Amino acid sequence: HALRVWSGAEGQGLRFLKGHTEAITAIEGLDGVAGHKGRALVGTGSMDKTVRIWDARARKGQVFLFKGHSDIVTALRWGEGGRSVLTASKDKTIRIWDTRAGRQRVAIEKHFGTVSSLRAIPEYIKCSAIDGAEGASFVSGGRDCVINLWTANGDCVGSQATHKGGVTMLSDINNHLSFRPAVPFMFSLAADNLVKLWDLRRFKFATEFTVPGPTVVKAVWAGQSIFTKTLVSIITSINPPEKLHGRNPIDKNHNSL
């Protein structure tokens, strides 16, 4: 139920940060951002339905306690360069918390089931799916098989329902792929064992890969490749093609380790 703070230089445990009453289910750190200088902030969500913001450098530790979710917190991301925290829950809601005012900004209920994953979009990425000055702020995925695009104020400005199973994760953003330099790509992973690649400038589907075998539970970027892990620890690498052409069966472009 507690966080442990470690010294990166010495590899020693410094202190415990206590507050949650049940297991921590989501965590993400933030360091050296505007408005929070001198702090090393960490956000956590828990089975106790609360969201807590911690300063790992402070003796007291806890900065904010946010309450509002009615079920387990499943995902947490920092948004707007640290000005907000985004959380998702089994209660089907997404909540945006203002880290300057210390309160909830908005609660959103659009997914028809558990919201399982979130991905914040850096402010420098401009999405053509949004008109005006307000840019895309984050993406959400849920058990309803839907991926939604949101503004910082909680307005849904795009939806994609191409998976045939619940979305289980949304990847980091990769804008260094050789076949589309400087284009920000994200992939989604779902219970249908499909890895789908998305162009975030237009919030458009780019291509997909079917991973054969047992259920894929984790996937990560590694340079130009995507590595996936199954329930029985089979590791597979996917190399996106030089030209995007819709569906790409994994057996044409993969390696199992």
Side-chain angles (χ1 to χ4, degrees), residues 6-28:
W6 296 83
S7 166
E10 301 173 0
Q12 296 181 347
L14 300 179
R15 70 182 72 86
F16 287 96
L17 301 178
K18 298 180 179 180
H20 286 295
T21 58
E22 296 187 52
I24 294 171
T25 51
I27 182 172
E28 185 167 75

Side-chain angles (χ1 to χ4, degrees), residues 119-122 125-129 136 139 149 171-174 183-186 198-204:
R119 175 59 55 191
I121 300 175
I125 295 177
K126 304 302 179 183
C127 181
S128 62
V139 183
L149 177 68
S171 77
D172 291 334
I173 296 169
N174 189 336
V183 175
F185 282 100
M186 175 195 76
W198 302 92
D199 178 346
L200 288 180
R201 293 182 311 172
R202 300 175 296 158
F203 193 50
K204 294 293 185 181

Side-chain angles (χ1 to χ4, degrees), residues 27-31 33-34 36 39-44 51-55 63-64 66 75-87 96-100 118-122 137-138:
I27 182 172
E28 185 167 75
L30 185 76
D31 188 20
V33 298
H36 299 293
R39 288 179 165 182
L41 298 182
V42 179
T44 56
V51 176
R52 296 170 193 259
I53 307 301
W54 311 84
D55 183 352
V63 179
F64 292 120
F66 296 132
L76 180 148
R77 299 290 179 190
W78 288 91
E80 304 174 276
R83 298 191 299 276
S84 64
V85 167
L86 320 166
T87 58
I96 303 176
W97 312 90
D98 191 315
T99 59
R100 293 176 295 183
L118 297 169
R119 175 59 55 191
I121 300 175
S137 181
F138 66 99

Side-chain angles (χ1 to χ4, degrees), residues 154-176:
D155 298 319
C156 184
V157 291
S159 294
Q160 298 280 359
T162 59
H163 279 290
K164 295 180 181 178
V167 178
T168 55
M169 71 162 287
L170 300 170
S171 77
D172 291 334
I173 296 169
N174 189 336
N175 57 2
H176 300 291

